[in-house]
Structure formats: C-alpha cells, structure tokens
Amino acid sequence: MRSMQTTIIDAHCHLDFTKFNRDRDEAIQRARNAGVVEMINSGIDHKTNLSTLALAEQYDFIHPALGLSPLVVSHYGDEVARNILTQLEENAHRAIAIGEAGMDYFHHKDEKEHEHQREVFRKVVDIAESTDLPLVIHGRDAEADALQMVQDLDRVIFHCYGGSLDTMQEITDAGYYISISTLVCFSEHHQSLVKNLPLDRMLIETDSPYLSPRKGRNEPAYMIDSVSTIARLRHMEETEVADITRKNTYRAFGL
Ligand SMILES: [Zn+2]
C-alpha cells in the first residue's frame, strides 16, 4: 500500500466493531504504515463505549469518544437509552468527546420518532455542555435540527456530513466542524461539499467499517484515498490536506 510523507488523522471510526475481530491489530498497523497515525474511535451504545475505552487503553494513538446512536435510541427504547446516558456521565472524564449522538431521519421517517430522538439527544447535549467536551453529531437528514439544538456548545463536529450546502454554511459560520467521510471518493454530492467547505473547518474520516471507497470493508488506511481525492478537488498537495485536517482535528477535539 502507498504511504504518504505526512501524517493523517481518521476523525471517526469503529475499530472495536466485530468486523475487525479477525484482523484488528493488522488493520491498525496498516493504517499506521499508510500514514494514518491517529484515530478517533466512537462508541454508539453501552457495549461499544466499553470496547472503545478498552481499545484506547491498548493504543495511545486511538482516542475514545463515547456515544449514544439515535438508531440505538429508536431500536432499543428508553430504558437502554437511560443506561447509556448514565454511562456517558460516569465515564466522560475518560473520553475526548461525547458522540456520536443525534438524530437519524433517514432510517426513521416517523415524526413522533424524530421527537423521541430529539428528546434523548437534548440530554446528550446537556452532558457535553456540563463536561465541557466536544460533541460529535450523527445527524443524517437531520442536520439543521441538530444545529438548532447545539447552539450553546463551543465545539461541535458534524460527523459524516451529507446534508445541504446551505446548512453546511450555517454550521461553519457558527464555528463548528464538518467531517467528510470516504464517501467523497465516489459521491458527487460529497465532492461538491468539499469544494465549498472552508479549509479551517474540514475534518476527514472513514467511519470504518462502513462507507468503503474500495471493495469490502472500510478501514482507516483508506484515508489516503480521501486525501488524494480532496487534494485533486481543491488543487492542493496531499500533504497540505493531511496537515490542515490533522490540525483542525486537534483543535476541534482539544488534542
Ligand atoms: Zn460512526
């Protein structure tokens, strides 16, 4: 695999997921060999928050974010969500961020369920605010609503952003960050987002094991595909894209 002269951060991945059980250490090594020197790993529920913390203890270059996915909220209901909220409060001091959390109107079309997700998300926003941690948002088809709900926070990252150009503008005007996934390698919409995104607001991520730019499972090493795609779209050197997004990630997450 080609490697770069520079260092890249994958701002959002799930290396603890079972899809990596077969070759987790090798996948992490492949990332490092490709120049992806740090990764932010996100939990989505009770179990993956624990495995995220365990992974971050094992590797000092993997940073833990503790989350509560809206898909978990809608699928498992309030008691499960309440337990995870407690887990977030009790373990926030071990994490660099809260999230991913938010709403998902793509997978859930019912307005009552949207309100349910917003109710739980409000509590997650409160935890981010009281712990003074950055918040990582999963806001699929709900980007504008999520933005409305986080106006009191200083540091917000819209992970895997796929919303409109207008909402992206509002997010960056508010001083928040947009994380562009490996979808940029093959999605025209994401390419137009990248062309219009202020460079000082841009983070990049794989969301591994999802959204692979190649065949099969995604992994952090494939960040180099995004970096070269973005370099081409923005008429920049690959090293510049890597450097700028790395520094933005440090700033956004206080690393
Ligand atoms: Zn994710």
Side-chain angles (χ1 to χ4, degrees):
M1 190 177 291
R2 190 168 56 102
S3 78
M4 285 184 187
Q5 300 285 46
T6 187
T7 50
I8 302 166
I9 297 188
D10 186 345
H12 186 102
C13 61
H14 303 281
L15 282 163
D16 59 306
F17 280 16
T18 52
K19 283 246 160 55
F20 287 104
N21 282 357
R22 184 170 44 83
D23 63 345
R24 182 168 295 105
D25 294 337
E26 290 90 334
I28 291 167
Q29 197 51 54
R30 276 194 295 276
R32 301 273 286 177
N33 292 344
V36 184
V37 291
E38 291 176 75
M39 301 134 226
I40 295 173
N41 202 86
S42 272
I44 60 165
D45 59 12
H46 197 276
K47 178 168 166 275
T48 57
N49 284 333
L50 291 179
S51 49
T52 291
L53 287 170
L55 196 63
E57 243 162 58
Q58 193 184 347
Y59 295 100
D60 61 5
F61 52 83
I62 297 180
H63 309 289
L66 301 181
L68 170 49
S69 163
L71 301 176
V72 170
V73 171
S74 289
H75 191 77
Y76 294 101
D78 282 334
E79 196 184 330
V80 166
R82 262 196 305 277
N83 282 335
I84 298 169
L85 288 166
T86 304
Q87 181 193 34
L88 296 184
E89 283 171 335
E90 287 175 352
N91 293 279
H93 65 283
R94 302 170 68 192
I96 64 152
I98 299 296
E100 58 186 278
M103 288 87 70
D104 193 315
Y105 300 170
F106 176 81
H107 286 100
H108 294 275
K109 309 289 186 198
D110 176 28
E111 172 54 33
K112 260 168 86 183
E113 193 50 42
H114 295 174
E115 178 50 30
H116 178 219
Q117 292 181 354
R118 287 194 294 269
E119 254 169 54
V120 176
F121 182 55
R122 266 179 217 113
K123 296 185 175 130
V124 179
V125 174
D126 287 345
I127 294 171
E129 190 166 15
S130 66
T131 56
D132 203 23
L133 285 171
L135 179 62
V136 178
I137 293 183
H138 171 124
R140 193 156 181 202
D141 288 355
E143 295 86 358
D145 278 3
L147 178 62
Q148 286 293 319
M149 296 172 65
V150 298
Q151 303 278 355
D152 293 334
L153 300 185
D154 292 332
R155 289 177 296 160
V156 176
I157 299 97
F158 280 75
H159 122 75
C160 192
Y161 186 81
S164 70
L165 277 167
D166 285 347
T167 303
M168 184 174 83
Q169 181 83 48
E170 287 172 39
I171 289 167
T172 57
D173 284 350
Y176 300 149
Y177 295 88
I178 296 283
S179 187
I180 297 288
S181 75
T182 31
L183 284 173
V184 73
C185 300
F186 51 89
S187 151
E188 273 179 38
H189 178 60
H190 290 75
Q191 292 175 357
S192 88
L193 292 173
V194 154
K195 286 185 192 159
N196 290 282
L197 177 57
L199 276 180
D200 67 338
R201 300 290 116 191
M202 186 194 296
L203 310 186
I204 50 180
E205 64 170 77
T206 56
D207 204 13
S208 306
Y210 308 116
L211 315 179
S212 182
R214 306 185 187 185
K215 280 204 174 79
R217 181 193 69 184
N218 204 359
E219 58 178 70
Y222 300 165
M223 288 291 288
I224 59 172
D225 294 16
S226 280
V227 169
S228 64
T229 301
I230 294 167
R232 183 169 47 76
L233 292 168
R234 294 295 297 243
H235 310 291
M236 292 164 65
E237 296 294 326
E238 294 180 356
T239 51
E240 272 181 282
V241 173
D243 283 345
I244 290 170
T245 54
R246 188 179 77 252
K247 284 171 190 158
N248 291 343
T249 308
Y250 287 152
R251 195 176 344 109
F253 287 95
L255 291 171

